[in-house]
Amino acid sequence: VQLQASGGGLVQAGGSLRLSCAASGRTFSRYVMGWFRQAPGKEREFVSRISETGYHAYYTDSVKGRFTISRDNAKNTVYLQMNLLKPEDSAVYYCAAGGSHSTLVSRYNYWGQGTQVTVSS
């Protein structure tokens, strides 16, 4: 599976962005899809994941109520709608595909190239 993330940019605090991650291949619907982020000098951290069918989503506490993950298996794409953005949300955001429902980086086998999100105060 090859992943291509897009949709990042510069936004003011309180604004919104929608990230997309397009996947190649026919097996997209078999994978749990996740979003992670990495700020300068920090480790990559889990943001959200969504089950293979899209019925179940999970979020890290800091984004609950502000971010929404979704997927369209017909389009081989996963999305991350980010609202009420804060400066601390600034990071490179990565999409990932894996076979387990996990928050761990090591459980995801395939990664996109990352897209930069910068939130100004």
Side-chain angles (χ1 to χ4, degrees):
V1 176
Q2 291 186 322
L3 305 174
Q4 179 75 33
S6 62
L10 173 64
V11 63
Q12 288 187 332
S16 299
L17 283 174
R18 188 194 195 201
L19 305 184
S20 299
C21 176
S24 64
R26 303 178 185 177
T27 59
F28 175 76
S29 61
R30 297 180 184 178
Y31 292 98
V32 173
M33 296 300 298
W35 285 98
F36 291 76
R37 64 188 180 187
Q38 188 167 17
K42 295 187 177 181
E43 293 186 352
R44 193 169 298 189
E45 65 172 1
F46 170 82
V47 176
S48 180
R49 70 169 186 260
I50 190 166
S51 64
E52 296 90 329
T53 60
Y55 290 154
H56 301 286
Y58 184 78
Y59 302 90
T60 193
D61 286 346
S62 62
V63 308
K64 284 181 181 176
R66 300 188 298 122
F67 290 11
T68 302
I69 190 171
S70 62
R71 69 190 294 165
D72 185 337
N73 285 345
K75 294 183 178 180
N76 281 9
T77 303
V78 62
Y79 305 95
L80 186 68
Q81 178 66 43
M82 305 186 295
N83 298 329
L84 299 175
L85 282 161
K86 304 175 181 180
E88 52 263 44
D89 294 319
S90 297
V92 177
Y93 282 70
Y94 298 89
C95 59
S100 65
H101 295 261
S102 175
T103 63
L104 299 177
V105 170
S106 60
R107 292 299 187 97
Y108 290 79
N109 308 101
Y110 305 97
W111 292 83
Q113 85 289 0
T115 184
Q116 177 71 49
V117 171
T118 303
V119 184
S120 62
S121 58

